[in-house]
Amino acid sequence: MSNTGFPDDELRQEQEFIDGLYARVDALRGETEGGVTDALAQGHTPMQARLERDILVAERSGLLAALNAVDGSLCFGRIDLTSGDAHHIGRIGLRADDAERTPVLIDWRADVARPFYLATGHTPMGLRRRRHISTEGRTVTALHDEILDLGDETRTGHEDPSGDAVLLAALNSARTGRMGDIVRTIQADQDRIIRAPHRGVLVVEGGPGTGKTAVALHRAAYLLYEHRELLAKRAVLIVGPNPAFLGYIGEVLPSLGETGVLLATVGELFPGVRATATDTPEAAAVKGRADMADVLAEVVRSRQALPDPVITVEHEREVLMLDDGLVGVARERTRAANLPHNAAREHFEGHILNTLTELYAERIGTDPFDGSSLLDASDITQIRDELAENPEVWSAIDRLWPRLTPQRLVADFLAAPEDFLPPEDADAVRRPVTRHWTVADVPLLDEAAELLGTDDRIARSRAERERQEQVAYAQGVLDVSYASRTFEFEDKDEEDAEVLLAHDIIDAERFAERQEEQDHRSAAERAAADRTWAFGHIIVDEAQELSRWPGGC
């Protein structure tokens, strides 16, 4: 039997290697943090502002968070190939500064790292040896070597007779109240689940304590690595049964170098709402039924009202009356467009304005002798425009087809559900109007939001007004720049005066666009604020906890 070195030599070599890794990590961290600090310390010229934004975007990408999160155990293994090559395996990938950017540390999710988890003596997958590196902080405390090429007689003195020392140590490690990662001890069956195809539905079943949650989290980290371009833009959502559970698992993904994940309970999935109240089991059961979608649709239709008996609108000393017949026609034509309630309001407004225009035109523009119209098309257009400026018209429209929010619709429904539910169900869910929501309310709010849609005309008008203000301000800046530079060159010769000015290379609109604030939030942060966000991947953990109520969640 040959020996390549004493055990202390092996420990020393691994310690030196890991010290080098941490030196590289510290350098990266210092460059990133220093870059952000330097940018913030600079002035606010357009070029410096763009530099500052670029650096802050880099920070937001998760580099600093990943480097800080892996500080505890950056490298945990090494694989020695029969070809003579060797690769160290860790939580993130690091490359050398040479021209080839040679990999120094292999990310545990890379294909080349997979034999570290799957190789056996029967199927060595090209490995000669597998080494598990145990650390405390930045200090190597133990090495455990597994010989996979039984024909290789080289020994280091760190061979693990049982082959299970690392796994047993992980199982016997002290509990801290937080879930730990399993990245050092992933088993073959777990690896197949973690690396399963991204598309489709994957269900993982097992008894308590069998590692379902840990595997799901490592799968999220793997998918973020394997499909980075897609998931970095669309984010990953992990839904858990309660805040305590999310707190328990919350540190696992950062420890694996991933921060672009949104962890939420069902009660946190509607932006702006946090479920703090509690339902009775009976109320939760009623709210969780699938037919509540039809009930809410009927609630929305009930808010598209008819006059009882008429609504009067005074315009230019004429009283115009909207009865249920006229409004009913406008309502049915609007509903025929098959748009959500708020988005359809613009159509309803148009129908009501046309109806009032016809009533007024008939009132003032009809020949009393032959009944013919005395108004031409321009007169009709003017009448419609004047009616559109009449507050009484908009008051009538608000009564007949009000703008609604999901919160207002659901709160009003729960305060008086007897018109839409059987008496027993109505009694179960009835409650006074309140600002406190339950977990079972959140699906109702989400369904209401789908039924209502959004009328974004006000937002678009506000955005256009703000844009015009920015363009006007930018034009003022350019004018001041032009005036000052013109004055500066008045006494200079013709050659100096040909220097290009800002006016020559950019107009006010483009200048304003360049100064617009960019959204530097991460994809997870933007997703948390956007109810319509389409996630790249969704993991529902402890799914049985989300379907305890009769009828589901």
Side-chain angles (χ1 to χ4, degrees):
M1 178 185 299
S2 63
N3 200 342
T4 60
F6 297 101
D8 287 347
D9 292 336
E10 293 287 333
L11 282 168
R12 176 180 52 79
Q13 291 170 10
E14 293 294 1
Q15 185 65 62
E16 290 176 351
F17 174 79
I18 288 180
D19 286 342
L21 290 180
Y22 280 113
R24 188 177 301 277
V25 168
D26 290 341
L28 286 171
R29 184 185 292 116
E31 290 173 6
T32 307
E33 290 177 338
V36 173
T37 302
D38 291 344
L40 294 175
Q42 293 186 38
H44 295 283
T45 65
M47 183 175 295
Q48 289 168 337
R50 287 195 296 275
L51 173 63
E52 177 184 328
R53 286 199 299 267
D54 291 342
I55 294 175
L56 290 174
V57 168
E59 182 189 24
R60 283 286 193 174
S61 69
L63 175 59
L64 279 177
L67 293 176
N68 291 331
V70 301
D71 213 17
S73 54
L74 179 59
C75 175
F76 50 79
R78 191 182 85 185
I79 51 177
D80 298 343
L81 283 65
T82 55
S83 64
D85 294 332
H87 302 298
H88 280 85
I89 312 300
R91 297 174 181 276
I92 59 174
L94 292 173
R95 293 180 178 270
D97 295 329
D98 55 27
E100 291 78 19
R101 302 286 291 159
T102 306
V104 176
L105 183 66
I106 303 297
D107 192 299
W108 67 276
R109 297 163 288 189
D111 285 340
V112 71
R114 200 171 189 192
F116 181 78
Y117 302 108
L118 298 183
T120 64
H122 183 266
T123 309
M125 301 179 69
L127 298 192
R128 180 175 63 85
R129 180 191 314 275
R130 171 169 51 210
R131 167 169 289 179
H132 296 269
I133 303 172
S134 300
T135 58
E136 289 184 7
R138 299 189 176 196
T139 302
V140 178
T141 58
L143 304 177
H144 301 275
D145 288 343
E146 296 177 69
I147 305 301
L148 299 172
D149 181 1
L150 300 181
D152 187 349
E153 297 183 353
T154 303
R155 296 294 181 269
T156 65
H158 292 285
E159 284 72 30
D160 177 9
S162 69
D164 293 326
V166 176
L167 178 59
L168 291 173
L171 293 174
N172 293 327
S173 61
R175 294 289 181 178
T176 63
R178 299 284 183 180
M179 173 172 283
D181 63 68
I182 60 171
V183 66
R184 291 174 293 180
T185 58
I186 291 172
Q187 305 300 292
D189 288 343
Q190 294 172 328
D191 184 83
R192 281 190 285 272
I193 296 172
I194 290 169
R195 298 174 189 262
H198 170 230
R199 295 188 178 278
V201 177
L202 177 67
V203 179
V204 180
E205 296 180 309
T210 54
K212 302 183 300 298
T213 298
V215 168
L217 296 173
H218 286 68
R219 172 166 171 76
Y222 169 75
L223 293 174
L224 282 162
Y225 173 87
E226 185 69 12
H227 304 281
R228 176 73 61 190
E229 185 174 351
L230 170 66
L231 298 186
K233 295 178 180 177
R234 293 173 55 186
V236 171
L237 170 65
I238 297 179
V239 180
N242 54 63
F245 180 83
L246 294 181
Y248 175 63
I249 69 175
E251 294 180 1
V252 175
L253 284 166
S255 74
L256 299 173
E258 294 298 343
T259 57
V261 178
L262 175 62
L263 282 75
T265 65
V266 171
E268 298 170 331
L269 290 179
F270 194 89
V273 168
R274 288 293 179 269
T276 58
T278 303
D279 269 316
T280 64
E282 294 77 16
V286 173
K287 294 177 183 180
R289 292 199 308 240
D291 63 4
M292 285 300 294
D294 297 329
V295 172
L296 288 177
E298 187 58 33
V299 174
V300 172
R301 290 174 66 88
S302 73
R303 303 303 294 271
Q304 299 162 0
L306 295 176
D308 184 21
V310 296
I311 292 178
T312 60
V313 174
E314 184 176 346
H315 184 70
E316 298 292 339
R317 298 182 182 180
E318 295 288 342
V319 177
L320 308 176
M321 292 187 293
L322 290 170
D323 58 28
D324 58 354
L326 293 174
V327 175
V329 171
R331 184 174 70 172
E332 293 310 310
R333 288 177 178 175
T334 302
R335 287 176 173 176
N338 290 321
L339 293 172
H341 174 86
N342 288 332
R345 177 182 158 113
E346 183 175 4
H347 292 262
F348 184 76
E349 293 170 359
H351 291 309
I352 292 298
L353 281 171
N354 290 341
T355 298
L356 291 172
T357 300
E358 291 174 6
L359 290 175
Y360 188 75
E362 183 179 357
R363 186 79 55 84
I364 69 167
T366 301
D367 190 309
F369 298 104
D370 59 14
S372 62
S373 176
L374 302 176
L375 306 175
D376 58 22
S378 63
D379 296 325
I380 299 297
T381 299
Q382 182 178 349
I383 292 172
R384 193 181 192 280
D385 291 342
E386 291 171 351
L387 281 166
E389 296 178 358
N390 187 333
E392 290 193 20
V393 173
W394 295 107
S395 176
I397 291 173
D398 286 338
R399 291 170 59 186
L400 298 170
W401 199 287
R403 290 187 180 93
L404 297 171
T405 65
Q407 291 91 329
R408 176 182 171 187
L409 183 81
V410 173
D412 289 348
F413 159 63
L414 295 176
E418 55 275 2
D419 292 336
F420 308 97
L421 293 174
E424 184 177 351
D425 293 344
D427 291 340
V429 302
R430 184 183 292 106
R431 70 166 185 240
V433 174
T434 175
R435 295 184 179 180
H436 300 290
W437 300 100
T438 70
V439 172
D441 291 334
V442 171
L444 302 184
L445 291 168
D446 189 70
E447 181 64 23
E450 288 294 314
L451 293 168
L452 295 177
T454 56
D455 182 354
D456 62 352
R457 286 175 295 164
I458 296 176
R460 284 189 280 116
S461 176
R462 184 185 301 114
E464 177 60 23
R465 185 169 61 253
E466 291 175 353
R467 191 188 74 84
Q468 292 296 339
E469 291 173 355
Q470 291 170 351
V471 170
Y473 178 78
Q475 185 63 58
V477 172
L478 291 175
D479 291 343
V480 171
S481 172
Y482 178 78
S484 63
R485 296 292 282 174
T486 301
F487 177 79
E488 181 181 343
F489 284 115
E490 280 183 352
D491 297 330
K492 295 185 179 292
D493 57 35
E494 183 176 346
E495 181 179 349
D496 289 337
E498 291 180 356
V499 174
L500 287 175
L501 302 179
H503 269 84
D504 300 318
I505 58 177
I506 192 170
D507 59 22
E509 291 210 11
R510 292 185 60 195
F511 185 54
E513 290 173 1
R514 290 191 178 185
Q515 305 312 309
E516 288 180 0
E517 281 193 31
Q518 298 181 13
D519 191 345
H520 297 302
R521 294 176 299 171
S522 68
E525 289 170 329
R526 285 183 280 120
D530 185 353
R531 189 196 65 82
T532 63
W533 189 273
F535 288 92
H537 193 76
I538 298 176
I539 294 173
V540 180
D541 204 353
E542 300 290 351
Q544 75 281 357
E545 299 293 331
L546 303 179
S547 56
R548 284 184 171 182
W549 305 313
C553 173

